[in-house]
């Protein structure tokens, strides 16, 4: 017999089939030895799963959301503003929630010891940022448009330009790491990571929208990218919750 | 209004420029009474260490509570962070300093065994995989989740005593593959 309090835990519905990539995806070669082969075991959503870290402003430095001002000089490349909202699948904004990004510089090079392809590092660009969403779930970064970069997955393989995003949502079930792409990238067709998403419409949701309204004259282009994490199952308590 | 979800993508090989925090491995500060290290490695299907992975942990405080609005038993303002994050090093190893979580009820009100929820991210993982850490020296009888796991695989979920600390390895594939959950 369930206790009244436990019965009222929110439950998070799965995203539709095709929204997320399979763990075993041969065209992305690194999945071969890293995907589990045993069936996943169903974990009911209990207290540990429907709660999650609520990481506040203590995590942020003053310039963490402006990747162009973290050094004395300006980085090379096209200055861009990236904005969007963090929402759940029921369009509820996720407030005061940590958003983390990392990316290559304008030439497609990461500030990482493992990245050695012959494109120069930029002394004025680290490529990492953090911010908190506001009361409407909005976030904003100022950064540099990242370049494409080669990798060794297949012959003449190039990653389309992308920014890595990490969000927590409000529950362990909502944790998400994704990549934001740019409109009309000619490299999409040969990229197995982008194409690992089975549903064509879902794949398109990873592509940001050019946002003329948010551009700043003689300063920066702008792109808009909303991130949607899992929504809740309808429950018999739904009306009651809305009243609280 | 319903919105369609954003797909997951891999963290890629360079997650360590963006995601590690200096205090990430410290769910509790060093010197906390009862603090234990959980150390382990992440391994691929060939048994090789995975040097570009990251472990995240989420757990109740020692009294079994979560500082979260959806825990009806929670304690607002509890300074216990509950969250740990550690990338793997060149040898595929991670470590988290924490205290044992308290006992948390399941949906029927029965007690779950002490557990920590874990997300594993890595290059080559297009989505995170989720597992749970239980503790070999704790009372795990009667835990409905453990009981739902095929008996011969339960051992992969048990952190092993290692002196005063614990060891918990993650095997993404192959013999002794860790049990992963759909949540
Ligand atoms: Fe990348």
């Amino acid at each position: 017999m369930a206790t009244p309090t436990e019965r009222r835990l929110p439950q998070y519905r799965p995203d539709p089939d095709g929204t997320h990539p399979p763990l075993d995806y041969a065209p992305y070669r690194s999945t071969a030895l890293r995907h589990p082969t045993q069936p996943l075991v169903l974990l009911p959503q209990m207290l540990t799963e429907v709660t999650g870290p609520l990481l506040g402003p203590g995590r942020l430095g003053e310039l963490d959301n402006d990747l162009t001002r973290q050094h004395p000089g300006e980085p090379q490349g096209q200055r861009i503003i990236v904005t969007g909202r963090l929402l759940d699948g029921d369009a509820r904004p996720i407030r005061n929630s940590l958003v983390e990004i990392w990316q290559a510089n304008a030439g497609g090079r990461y500030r990482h010891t493992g990245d050695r392809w012959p494109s120069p590092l930029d002394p004025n660009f680290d490529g990492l940022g953090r911010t908190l969403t506001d009361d409407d779930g909005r976030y904003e970064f100022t950064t540099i448009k990242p370049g494409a970069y080669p990798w060794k997955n297949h012959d003449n393989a190039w990653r389309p330009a992308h920014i890595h995003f990490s969000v927590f949502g409000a529950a362990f079930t909502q944790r998400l790491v994704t990549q934001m792409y740019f409109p009309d990238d000619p490299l999409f067709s040969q990229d197995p990571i982008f194409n690992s998403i089975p549903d064509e419409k879902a794949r398109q949701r990873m592509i940001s929208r050019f946002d003329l309204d948010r551009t700043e004259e003689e300063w920066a282009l702008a792109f808009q990218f909303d991130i949607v994490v899992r929504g809740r199952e309808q429950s018999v308590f739904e009306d009651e919750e809305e009243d609280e | 209004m319903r919105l369609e979800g954003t797909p997951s993508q891999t963290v890629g090989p360079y997650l360590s420029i963006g995601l590690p925090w200096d205090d990430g491995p410290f769910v509790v500060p060093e010197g906390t009474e009862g603090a234990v290290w959980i150390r382990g490695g992440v391994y691929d299907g060939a048994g090789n260490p995975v040097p570009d992975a990251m472990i995240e942990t989420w757990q109740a405080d020692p009294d079994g509570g979560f500082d979260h609005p959806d825990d009806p038993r929670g304690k607002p303002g509890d300074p216990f962070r509950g969250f740990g994050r550690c990338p793997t090093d060149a040898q595929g190893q991670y470590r988290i300093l924490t205290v044992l979580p308290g006992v948390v009820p399941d949906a029927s009100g029965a007690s779950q065994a002490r557990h920590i929820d874990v997300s594993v991210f890595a290059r080559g993982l297009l989505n995170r995989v989720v597992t749970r850490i239980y503790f070999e020296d704790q009372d795990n009888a009667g835990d409905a989740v453990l009981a739902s796991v095929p008996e011969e695989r339960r051992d992969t979920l048990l952190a092993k005593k290692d002196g005063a600390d614990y060891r918990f390895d993650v095997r993404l594939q192959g013999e002794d593959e860790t049990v992963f959950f759909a949540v």
Side-chain angles (χ1 to χ4, degrees):
Chain A
M1 177 67 200
T3 65
T5 50
E6 296 305 324
R7 285 286 299 274
R8 299 192 50 181
L9 290 181
Q11 295 289 292
Y12 291 85
R13 60 176 189 267
D15 288 313
D17 283 350
T19 304
H20 296 292
L23 292 169
D24 179 11
Y25 189 67
Y28 177 24
R29 288 190 350 214
S30 301
T31 65
L33 286 171
R34 295 185 173 192
H35 72 273
T37 57
Q38 300 285 334
L40 301 182
V41 175
L42 182 70
L43 178 61
Q45 296 173 17
M46 299 177 284
L47 274 162
T48 316
E49 292 72 39
V50 302
T51 58
L54 304 175
L55 299 159
R59 293 262 133 228
L60 299 181
E62 196 190 345
L63 294 174
D64 281 2
N65 69 344
D66 188 341
L67 289 74
T68 67
R69 293 172 61 207
Q70 294 169 350
H71 288 274
E74 291 237 28
Q76 297 284 335
Q78 179 78 64
R79 199 181 293 109
I80 61 172
I81 296 163
V82 180
T83 65
R85 295 178 76 196
L86 176 60
L87 302 160
D88 76 7
D90 305 304
R92 293 185 190 90
I94 302 191
R95 304 184 166 99
N96 304 314
S97 195
L98 184 66
V99 179
E100 297 168 291
I101 63 170
W102 70 104
Q103 63 168 93
N105 68 22
R109 176 88 183 260
Y110 283 91
R111 185 175 293 287
H112 186 287
T113 52
D115 189 0
R116 295 292 175 87
W117 82 284
S119 179
L121 283 169
D122 182 336
N124 293 313
F125 192 73
D126 291 339
L128 57 118
R130 295 173 185 163
T131 194
L132 282 187
T133 57
D134 70 9
D135 283 348
D136 293 322
R138 286 181 203 288
Y139 71 85
E140 178 170 338
F141 290 102
T142 302
T143 185
I144 293 293
K145 188 162 188 252
Y149 59 86
W151 60 316
K152 295 184 165 46
N153 185 75
H154 54 275
D155 282 348
N156 196 21
W158 293 80
R159 291 299 330 279
H162 60 274
I163 298 177
H164 296 266
F165 271 76
S166 167
V167 298
F168 287 91
F172 182 79
T173 54
Q174 291 180 318
R175 180 85 175 91
L176 181 72
V177 174
T178 189
Q179 298 182 23
M180 180 197 107
Y181 297 91
F182 293 87
D184 305 318
D185 196 312
L187 293 168
F188 287 145
S189 64
Q190 58 78 61
D191 183 48
I193 294 179
F194 178 76
N195 290 302
S196 67
I197 307 306
D199 180 67
E200 165 69 22
K201 287 196 181 119
R203 210 179 302 148
Q204 299 298 320
R205 291 198 292 275
M206 300 187 294
I207 305 174
S208 58
R209 181 179 67 83
F210 175 66
D211 186 357
L212 185 63
D213 291 342
R214 287 301 304 271
T215 56
E216 289 189 21
E217 193 172 350
E218 296 190 35
W219 186 250
L221 295 178
F223 294 87
Q224 187 251 341
F225 179 60
D226 289 345
I227 301 168
V228 179
V229 295
R230 287 166 67 177
R232 296 178 177 190
E233 303 277 11
Q234 299 294 318
S235 78
V236 289
F237 299 104
E238 196 75 5
D239 294 339
E240 208 177 325
E241 281 175 16
E242 297 297 325
D243 290 340
E244 282 174 4
Chain B
M1 180 168 124
R2 285 220 170 177
L3 298 177
E4 313 270 38
T6 304
S8 168
Q9 295 270 268
T10 179
V11 291
Y14 306 129
L15 69 125
S16 67
I17 76 165
L19 292 177
W21 306 336
D22 290 345
D23 65 349
F26 298 91
V27 179
V28 296
E30 268 182 298
T32 301
E33 193 178 333
V36 290
W37 284 105
I38 301 173
R39 298 186 182 89
V42 179
Y43 300 94
D44 71 11
N48 291 319
V50 176
D52 39 20
M54 181 178 75
I55 297 283
E56 287 184 350
T57 62
W58 173 243
Q59 65 171 93
D61 70 21
D63 299 321
F66 298 92
D67 174 18
H68 190 281
D70 287 323
D71 182 357
R73 308 137 47 257
K75 293 169 294 189
D78 184 348
F80 184 74
R81 192 174 82 191
F83 178 74
R85 169 188 273 187
C86 188
T88 54
D89 63 18
Q91 286 74 45
Q93 305 295 303
Y94 76 92
R95 57 176 201 159
I96 298 282
L97 185 72
T98 190
V99 288
L100 287 196
V103 169
V104 176
D106 70 15
S108 68
S111 291
Q112 300 183 65
R114 297 176 201 275
H115 63 273
I116 297 178
D117 276 10
V118 177
S119 300
V120 184
F121 302 85
R123 174 176 69 84
L125 278 178
L126 282 161
N127 204 340
R128 70 167 172 172
V129 288
V130 168
T131 187
R132 267 188 169 193
I133 298 174
Y134 290 86
F135 300 89
E136 68 164 0
D137 60 337
Q138 297 292 310
D139 178 9
N140 294 312
D143 184 273
V145 172
L146 264 185
S148 75
V149 170
E151 195 173 354
E152 67 280 7
R153 301 190 63 209
R154 276 177 213 159
D155 191 57
T156 69
L157 298 175
L158 298 181
K160 306 299 188 302
K161 275 304 263 185
D162 180 15
D165 299 316
Y166 290 93
R167 184 154 188 96
F168 182 79
D169 291 328
V170 174
R171 295 180 195 284
L172 294 173
Q173 191 187 88
E175 216 177 318
D176 297 327
E177 181 178 305
T178 301
V179 170
F180 297 106
F181 294 100
V183 62

